Amino acid sequence: MSPPSANQATSGIAADFVVDRVRRHESHRGAYFAFQMDRPESVRIFDPAERGRHVECTCEEFQSSQVICIHIYWLFDGLNAVLRTRRALGTQDISTGDVLAQISALYGLIGSRLSSLPTLLSATRDEISSDTDDATDAIGSPAFSDTRAEQVRDMLSVFDTAALPEDYDPGNASTTAGNEQQNLYVPNNLPATIFQIAVRDGKVFESLRTVITHDICANTHFSKLRTRAREAFARLDSYIENGPSDDAETADQDIPRCAKMLRIIVDQICQFRDSRASSGPLSAPVKRRVAEILVEILQEVCNRNEDIYYRIGWEREMADGEPDRNRNLYAYLIDDPPRSNSSTPDWMKETFVIDRLRQTPTDEWRHLIERLTSIVDQMRERMEDEDDPPLAYTKLERMIQEYTAEAFEPSSSSVQRRPTLGSHRQRQRRRFE
């Protein structure tokens, strides 16, 4: 690292910046997380699957020279501390490429910590690593639990009809502990005031937690994600019916964009379920509901196994070399998904929905066995080559076979007929026709 770059890195690591909020955005350049400072500057970390290793800052220095600025160095150091529980080893061990590569590599972890990152990044190293068990729970306490701030945001987001906890903004609510009770009042903003008080007052927090339980929060969160999935299908259907929209939010909601959104939603559902399970047990009905939503999404994709442009009533010029999968949602997600590469996130490489179901305990999806069997039949009926079935079909059929082999295994006291799948099922049908 050159002396000017080393000085820049040292200044950035030693800086005392504050992150007001972290948000995920979609743009024509791809998805990115924006880290908005308590000043005009904002650092953007783009999805490496779309942009490769790309990090940028809106500050004048970066925009004019494209040289890593102190804001990016500061964020690099902070994210290492928060997400990897360590700090940069020193400027002599940092190269420009290392900074960009390491920040990009953290993209997948950022989404699971959106609501808490502003607090953690704005803290000193001592505050991050210190034990907060000795902190008092009264209003005006100089220290408070970030986990509590995250839970309060989670609880209050229940009252927002669309925002997920990581997107929920109570408005002007500070996560910096205050020493005076009157500082907790946020004029003309009841949610922000409640947030301030509940984060700092243990009794108020416990009262909210008693009423707004973990299951209520989880159910509400999953309902919002289910709504987002249904909206994605609806936008695709509208695109098929009417063509591209003038509305920037819904314009060109074609197969690739719809498929990507559905993958994001499935990943969000499973990440949220796993994060809740690690912080406290979810009830059996909530876990079963997660499986129901995943199967519903899978079923809707299977129902769209057709060329969407075959009967459109509007003009569309086919792009040169357009893959057939770009015309069929089922093909894009299940039958013939795009090939991945080294920069593709793991959740984009998975067999859509089915890999997540296979990782789920049987008790959570056994009540959906008939729907899953119906989906396998539906896949088989539309299969062009039975000797070379899609990987998704093979995995799902095997999952059902493993379940039925265990559930219907003959015992010493009784013998039960074991359901059959695949060619055995077809022979059974022909036998009674």
Side-chain angles (χ1 to χ4, degrees), residues 17-25 32-44 74-75 79 110 113-122 153 165-175 189 192:
F17 296 131
V18 173
V19 171
D20 273 347
R21 66 183 61 184
V22 184
R23 291 285 180 87
R24 187 182 186 279
H25 298 273
Y32 65 89
F33 289 112
F35 291 77
Q36 180 62 55
M37 309 287 188
D38 61 338
R39 56 194 68 212
E41 290 79 20
S42 175
V43 177
R44 297 169 179 170
W74 178 84
L75 185 61
L79 288 176
I110 294 172
R113 304 290 298 275
L114 279 186
S115 60
S116 60
L117 278 176
T119 300
L120 295 176
L121 288 171
S122 300
R153 192 184 303 275
E166 59 267 28
D167 301 325
Y168 178 72
D169 181 11
N172 298 321
S174 170
T175 52
N189 194 326

Side-chain angles (χ1 to χ4, degrees), residues 365-389:
W365 56 262
R366 70 166 72 245
H367 65 296
L368 301 169
I369 191 67
E370 293 182 356
R371 289 183 64 180
L372 291 170
T373 303
S374 175
I375 290 173
V376 167
D377 289 341
Q378 188 176 0
M379 289 181 176
R380 185 186 309 109
E381 289 170 3
R382 301 295 295 271
M383 200 181 299
E384 295 183 359
D385 184 1
E386 291 193 14
D387 294 329
D388 186 25

